[in-house]
Amino acid sequence: MPQTDGDVQAARADNRAGRSAAGLRNRPAPVSADVRLLGIATEHLARLGPKRVTVVAVAAEAGMTHANVYRYFPSKDALLDAVAGRWLRDIEAHLAGIADAPDPADDKIERLLTALATLQRDALASEPNLFAVHLDATVAARPIARRHRVRLRSLVERVVEEGMIAGTFSARDRERAIAYIFDASYRFTHPLAIQHDADVPRDLVEARFGAVIHAIQRVLRAGVL
């Protein structure tokens, strides 16, 4: 059947509509205001340090009033903690990968504690302003630090329980075993202690921590807790 002018015009309109719909599908989703603010705050923190970051400057770069920033983050500390929180979630995801691996529990506890210490020492060296926010939040026991502590404990608990079920660990009291792991590793995994040892050669710190980890493994295997 021959096409009429109306058919041709309708086909062209359909093509334009199809291209428009495809363009909408391929267009990146708009970045939400809170994500945009976090990106700006991350850059300001890296460049200026936590003391010189201001909500007013972050708001100005985002093209909004500082009062509007407070709709998403109730304070400057909350904004900076959210920046550190994204980094902490990356650490937690890395540690979760270790906890979920098929390795024996005693190997996993070594890898988990070593990674926790190493990732923080790396941040202190390469991103000192981010580490400073992490340290301040931990010392002040702000919500971001408390949540991080709960997630860390959950990962350690998972490994300890797995070791007890498999017979790798002979711990008699799970809670005492978990507390012992955190107490024994404090000097190498707590941000305050990591900052304290910032000038100690890394190989020396790693050697000392390796000895502590081996002691932790022996205690967990021996069932003295």
Side-chain angles (χ1 to χ4, degrees), residues 50 76-85 87-88 129-149 190-192:
K76 172 183 164 178
D77 279 346
L79 176 60
L80 293 181
D81 283 356
V83 171
W87 168 67
L88 289 175
N129 292 329
L130 177 64
F131 184 88
V133 174
H134 167 48
L135 172 60
D136 187 57
T138 302
V139 172
R142 292 201 294 268
I144 189 67
R146 294 200 303 270
R147 288 193 292 270
H148 177 59
R149 176 77 176 184
H190 192 282
L192 190 61

Side-chain angles (χ1 to χ4, degrees), residues 5 10 13 25 34 36 61 91 96 99 103 108 151 157 160 186 196 198 200-201 207 219 224:
D5 288 344
R25 286 194 300 270
D34 58 336
R36 191 153 49 96
E61 187 167 334
I91 290 180
D103 309 306
K108 287 201 284 192
R151 291 172 186 137
E157 180 179 19
V160 169
Y186 177 95
H196 178 80
V200 179
V219 168
V224 297

Side-chain angles (χ1 to χ4, degrees), residues 73-199:
F73 305 99
S75 66
K76 172 183 164 178
D77 279 346
L79 176 60
L80 293 181
D81 283 356
V83 171
R86 294 201 297 185
W87 168 67
L88 289 175
R89 284 191 293 276
D90 288 341
I91 290 180
E92 291 157 9
H94 180 76
L95 298 179
I98 295 173
D100 292 335
D103 309 306
D106 52 349
D107 287 348
K108 287 201 284 192
I109 205 68
E110 177 178 6
R111 290 176 55 211
L112 192 150
L113 293 174
T114 300
L116 177 60
T118 300
L119 290 168
Q120 291 184 90
R121 285 201 304 267
D122 288 347
L124 176 58
S126 63
E127 299 180 89
N129 292 329
L130 177 64
F131 184 88
V133 174
H134 167 48
L135 172 60
D136 187 57
T138 302
V139 172
R142 292 201 294 268
I144 189 67
R146 294 200 303 270
R147 288 193 292 270
H148 177 59
R149 176 77 176 184
V150 168
R151 291 172 186 137
L152 285 181
R153 190 193 184 286
S154 176
L155 293 172
V156 170
E157 180 179 19
R158 189 189 312 174
V159 175
V160 169
E161 287 184 341
E162 180 183 315
M164 292 172 68
I165 292 171
T168 305
F169 299 149
S170 301
R172 292 173 292 179
D173 187 314
R174 185 190 63 182
E175 295 303 316
R176 288 181 62 196
I178 293 169
Y180 171 74
I181 291 169
F182 281 105
D183 290 346
S185 64
Y186 177 95
R187 181 64 185 267
F188 305 95
T189 59
H190 192 282
L192 190 61
I194 289 171
Q195 185 187 57
H196 178 80
D197 283 343
D199 295 330

Side-chain angles (χ1 to χ4, degrees), residues 203-220:
D203 58 346
L204 178 57
V205 172
E206 290 174 351
R208 288 165 48 201
F209 192 29
V212 168
I213 290 174
H214 291 155
I216 290 172
Q217 291 170 322
R218 286 196 302 271
V219 168
L220 293 175

